[in-house]
Amino acid sequence: MRLQYDLGNGQRMRIIFVFVIVAAAASLGCWSFGGAAGNRAVAAGPTPMKQDQTPKGDFVKHLPAGFEMPEDDSGKLLLREYGSVFITSATPPKKVVFKNQADVLGFQATLDKATQTIGGTKVELQRPAMDALNDAIAEARKVNLTIGPRGADSSRRDYDATVGLWASRVDPGFAHWVAAGKVSAAEAKRIKALTPYEQVPEILKLEQQQIWFAKTLDKSIIYSVAPPGTSQHLSMLALDVKEFENANVRAILARHGWFQTVSSDLPHFTYLGVSEAELPGLGLKKVENAGRVFWVPDM
Ligand SMILES: [Zn+2]
């Protein structure tokens, strides 16, 4: 259970309990973005806050021009869970899932980027995201706080990095479910022969029948690894923050346009580049999980 990372024992037991309930009750909840195994702290699904009275904008209306609206269930699910990044004031991608390494590198090549060493670790972000991060770091320093990356893969990632992790869940998952008679050997072989891009909707479809592909085989693969091509880190608009447990750090980041937008992924911050007051008007809604505020698509 990845929840053991960064959490105290009491909180861990509480969250595991909630997690089991959520896993049993829902066929699919939220998930965290990929990274090296063990480089994340995740928690159970979100709890909607009391009804927000702020006038809401239309999330879909604020998607970038030329956005490829997903037509299938898998794509719609991914948009609902990861989609806040698309309203960023920096440069959002135009699609929910990048197809392959060339697709990701092609997008990254178009960006105005900045590279900087923070706390001894190289950080690569879109330039407006880096500028805002530096402003947040400066504000934090005034109150003797630091803000930095958790590890080497905390900012920019490429597609290939996520493919091996994905296979490390899919392959043992099929071995189990074929042996259990839930999936035919032919069907497993067919799906495994697809590209990772093509596998994502197939795996999510099997999970709708409780055929789970997380490492523990009792919940969605998306609690365990990021579907290839879906991470906000690919867009250079995300940072996994070392000091994510500090509420003051989270508040400072929010004042500089960095928000939490993936409710299961506690260290993960997304550069949206607008003030918190503007978020409802852009179609995001506030949810609370593990004592944090997350801004997610209202759809
Ligand atoms: Zn992340």
Side-chain angles (χ1 to χ4, degrees):
M1 181 68 79
R2 351 192 55 79
L3 294 166
Q4 67 196 23
Y5 301 105
D6 305 300
L7 298 174
N9 201 46
Q11 189 184 8
R12 181 159 78 234
M13 293 311 295
R14 187 176 62 80
I15 292 176
I16 287 170
F17 175 74
V18 173
F19 203 104
V20 168
I21 298 299
V22 169
S27 63
L28 206 54
C30 52
W31 60 86
S32 64
F33 287 87
N39 191 27
R40 284 176 291 150
V42 300
T47 309
M49 297 184 81
K50 69 180 193 310
Q51 195 61 38
D52 190 351
Q53 298 304 318
T54 317
K56 292 186 178 71
D58 183 346
F59 173 71
V60 171
K61 203 172 72 189
H62 291 95
L63 290 168
F67 183 75
E68 297 173 24
M69 185 59 82
E71 301 289 337
D72 62 319
D73 288 348
S74 154
K76 286 176 192 163
L77 185 67
L78 294 167
L79 178 61
R80 194 165 65 238
E81 299 294 338
Y82 292 175
S84 295
V85 71
F86 296 111
I87 62 94
T88 186
S89 64
T91 305
K94 301 280 179 73
K95 57 181 77 167
V96 175
V97 189
F98 286 105
K99 285 193 167 57
N100 51 42
Q101 178 81 330
D103 199 15
V104 169
L105 297 182
F107 175 73
Q108 290 181 355
T110 67
L111 299 171
D112 182 14
K113 297 178 280 285
T115 302
Q116 199 174 311
T117 299
I118 301 173
T121 299
K122 186 164 97 168
V123 173
E124 294 175 276
L125 295 168
Q126 290 194 28
R127 189 174 302 278
M130 184 72 86
D131 290 345
L133 178 62
N134 279 322
D135 290 345
I137 289 170
E139 186 183 331
R141 194 178 295 129
K142 289 178 192 163
V143 289
N144 293 317
L145 292 171
T146 60
I147 301 177
R150 293 188 87 202
D153 68 345
S154 291
S155 54
R156 184 183 80 85
R157 291 184 194 145
D158 64 21
Y159 187 89
D160 288 349
T162 61
V163 170
L165 272 172
W166 174 257
S168 76
R169 303 298 189 273
V170 168
D171 293 351
F174 274 128
H176 171 84
W177 295 117
V178 169
K182 295 282 191 180
V183 179
S184 74
E187 178 70 348
K189 192 177 170 189
R190 180 187 72 78
I191 294 173
K192 283 167 70 172
L194 300 173
T195 63
Y197 177 78
E198 294 165 328
Q199 285 178 17
V200 173
E202 298 276 1
I203 296 295
L204 296 182
K205 206 159 82 184
L206 285 171
E207 290 191 336
Q208 287 175 0
Q209 305 160 50
Q210 320 283 305
I211 297 171
W212 304 116
F213 284 84
K215 196 170 195 172
T216 48
L217 301 169
D218 60 353
K219 56 182 177 282
S220 175
I221 190 168
I222 58 185
Y223 288 110
S224 203
V225 297
T230 61
S231 172
Q232 296 175 345
H233 291 282
L234 301 175
S235 302
M236 303 181 70
L237 292 168
L239 181 71
D240 297 333
V241 173
K242 188 177 174 184
E243 300 83 359
F244 71 98
E245 297 279 19
N246 188 309
N248 290 332
V249 165
R250 299 196 296 270
I252 292 168
L253 282 165
R255 277 200 288 280
H256 295 278
W258 282 91
F259 299 95
Q260 296 197 264
T261 69
V262 183
S263 52
S264 60
D265 196 342
L266 302 185
H268 181 93
F269 290 75
T270 312
Y271 181 68
L272 300 181
V274 297
S275 72
E276 190 157 28
E278 293 171 84
L279 296 175
L282 292 168
L284 301 191
K285 68 177 174 186
K286 193 193 270 193
V287 296
E288 192 179 294
N289 184 33
R292 273 86 162 161
V293 165
F294 296 83
W295 287 95
V296 301
D298 189 6
M299 56 185 292

